[in-house]
Amino acid sequence: MPEQSPLVPAEGDPFGPHNLPYGVFSTADEPDRRRLGVRIGDQVLDAGAAANALGSPYAALLDRPSLNPLMAAGRTAWRDVRRALTAWVTVPAHRADIEPLLHPLTAVTLHLPYKVADYVDFYASEHHATNVGRIFRPDGAALTPNWKHLPIGYHGRAGTIVVSGTDVVRPSGQRKAPSDPAPVFGPSGKLDIEAEVGFVVGTPSPQGTAVESASFRDHVFGLSLLNDWSARDIQAWEYVPLGPFLGKSFATSVSAWVTPLEALDAARVAPPARTDALLPYLDDADDEEPGGFDLRITVSLNGQVISEPPFSAMYWTAAQQLAHLTVNGASLRTGDLFASGTVSGPAREERGSLLELTWNGTEPLELPDGKRTFLEDGDEVTLTAWAPGPDGTRVGLGEVTGRIVSG
């Protein structure tokens, strides 16, 4: 029996030709040379070398050290390049040219796949926002009066977006418990995770022009998993009245793989029913396709699954978030990253942060290596996810991992 081609992943592999996420990699023999890659099974295809070997007109977009040129090329180019890549990895006649350009995933180093322009983080899960409200405002309304009228968010720090596998240094800052007479300075004692999904902008928009939710596909290139690390004690002292700052800006981890939106057509779902009327620019009732995504996320702490948040439960969609962040005329730039906010579902085992899972430390998690309220030095957190794909397949979204080290 002939040996199976590495271009033919095992049946059920979530990184088959129906997926083809993009990343940037380097090899041990050329560690300083970054190349655009496409994942197929447990292999990484050098996309630029493939384009040159086959005389493709897309070599100028693929033979690059980052995704930014391809993302900036626009939706037509994204579609055409994806069709070409699909043919290169599935048509047997191309195997002789393509197979020598594959690199085992275990033999490459993955890098941040694009240059981040701006970073915005939202607060789009009603379950998460309700839990947080109940924790910090037990005698008041769980949701703030504006929550169901607009996607709440804050502008983060693009320079501290790091790729999966990067250690996260425990941040220090001011904190003050309600019983403390004065603030103190030191390392955070309430370091947390936030299981999120990040959306990456490709096509820019001019300043002074709003982008409608229906134009989501024209501007957003793809998505990836994201962990918005949060120092809850620093955040609690600083966030009034302007919101998150040092409690968030020290690190945000993203997956090394960006899944193109076209790979997720079968995962599109309607968002939860809205209980309040929406202003016209956020009303997506007439959009051609549903704005939600059925993404199944798993959160593991030191190898132990602690949560499985469902992205389909998110109240505000990424298309509405895009419309809101540009409605004042703010421009989009290639490489802009906007995150969903913590993904949480209605069940306890679906909460996407330790703040919720331990109810602000009052209900510790029981793990094989001991109890946890918040993260300890040496803890490693991994987010993985998959989505329904065409014909019963699964689309893998890669992973985002980070390990806590002392500052």
Side-chain angles (χ1 to χ4, degrees), residues 148-166:
K148 289 195 173 181
H149 294 280
L150 56 86
I152 295 171
Y154 72 91
H155 196 283
R157 189 174 180 87
T160 51
I161 306 293
V162 296
V163 73
S164 174
T166 304

Side-chain angles (χ1 to χ4, degrees), residues 140-370:
L143 295 178
T144 53
N146 61 349
W147 199 91
K148 289 195 173 181
H149 294 280
L150 56 86
I152 295 171
Y154 72 91
H155 196 283
R157 189 174 180 87
T160 51
I161 306 293
V162 296
V163 73
S164 174
T166 304
D167 285 346
V168 175
V169 178
R170 182 178 297 275
S172 291
Q174 286 193 34
R175 56 194 197 280
K176 181 184 179 299
S179 59
D180 292 341
V184 297
F185 180 87
S188 170
K190 288 188 172 183
L191 188 54
D192 199 359
I193 62 168
E194 289 192 343
E196 305 192 23
V197 175
F199 294 84
V200 188
V201 171
T203 309
S205 66
Q207 189 168 354
T209 302
V211 175
E212 297 179 350
S213 64
S215 298
F216 175 74
R217 277 188 182 265
D218 294 327
H219 291 274
V220 174
F221 176 78
L223 58 80
S224 60
L225 292 175
L226 181 148
N227 187 346
D228 188 34
W229 307 93
S230 300
R232 300 298 186 188
D233 43 2
I234 296 173
Q235 181 183 358
W237 173 234
E238 72 178 0
Y239 87 104
V240 178
L242 291 183
F245 186 36
L246 301 184
K248 297 278 194 175
S249 62
F250 58 95
T252 300
S253 298
V254 295
S255 170
W257 300 105
V258 179
T259 304
L261 290 186
E262 281 194 43
L264 295 166
D265 286 346
R268 298 304 289 263
V269 293
R274 277 59 181 269
T275 55
D276 290 62
L278 300 179
L279 290 171
Y281 80 96
L282 292 171
D283 189 349
D284 57 358
D286 294 329
D287 288 359
E288 290 185 3
E289 60 184 349
F293 289 89
D294 182 10
L295 313 179
R296 323 287 180 87
I297 303 171
T298 298
V299 183
S300 298
L301 174 55
N302 298 334
Q304 181 77 18
V305 174
I306 60 172
S307 179
E308 293 184 310
F311 194 77
S312 59
M314 299 296 275
Y315 189 90
W316 295 106
T317 71
Q320 289 171 316
Q321 292 168 345
L322 184 73
H324 186 65
L325 72 86
T326 61
V327 73
N328 67 343
S331 60
L332 295 175
R333 294 191 291 171
T334 299
D336 280 355
L337 174 66
F338 65 98
S340 62
T342 305
V343 183
S344 291
R348 185 169 192 247
E349 64 273 14
E350 295 176 334
R351 298 171 182 173
S353 68
L354 291 173
L355 176 69
E356 299 166 86
L357 286 166
T358 70
W359 214 248
N360 198 22
T362 63
E363 301 173 7
L365 293 177
E366 298 282 353
L367 299 176
D369 58 348

Side-chain angles (χ1 to χ4, degrees), residues 117-136:
D118 279 311
Y119 171 55
V120 174
D121 190 27
F122 284 95
Y123 191 50
S125 165
E126 182 177 3
H127 302 292
H128 173 67
T130 298
N131 287 335
V132 171
R134 287 173 177 165
I135 290 171
F136 292 113

